[in-house]
Amino acid sequence: MSNKVTLRVNGETVYCLPQTDLPALLEQLGLNPRLLAVEYNGEILHRQFWEGTQMQEGDALEIVTIVGGG
């Protein structure tokens, strides 16, 4: 059994501990969750589901920063 989970985040390989939830992963990556949109395995993941989403081996995430302006 491995002590690391391998993910793809924005096309890059990232590792985290098993049972890491999405907010913890974002913190690990140094990202501010309030300014992000997350696609999880090809689906936009609504913020209400972030806490209950645990990273699994092979998951793919696309994380984009929301930018305001005009």
Side-chain angles (χ1 to χ4, degrees):
M1 180 167 112
S2 175
N3 63 348
K4 296 278 184 172
V5 173
T6 304
L7 313 169
R8 296 293 289 172
V9 177
N10 293 352
E12 302 288 326
T13 301
V14 172
Y15 302 96
C16 68
L17 295 174
Q19 300 181 341
T20 297
D21 65 16
L22 181 55
L25 177 68
L26 297 174
E27 182 177 319
Q28 175 185 318
L29 297 172
L31 300 171
N32 182 346
R34 296 181 331 168
L35 304 175
L36 302 175
V38 177
E39 182 184 279
Y40 179 74
N41 294 329
E43 302 281 334
I44 297 296
L45 188 63
H46 295 279
R47 196 170 301 271
Q48 68 192 35
F49 300 114
W50 287 14
E51 289 285 333
T53 301
Q54 291 188 343
M55 300 300 100
Q56 305 282 330
E57 182 69 29
D59 281 346
L61 292 91
E62 290 294 324
I63 302 172
V64 295
T65 301
I66 300 167
V67 178

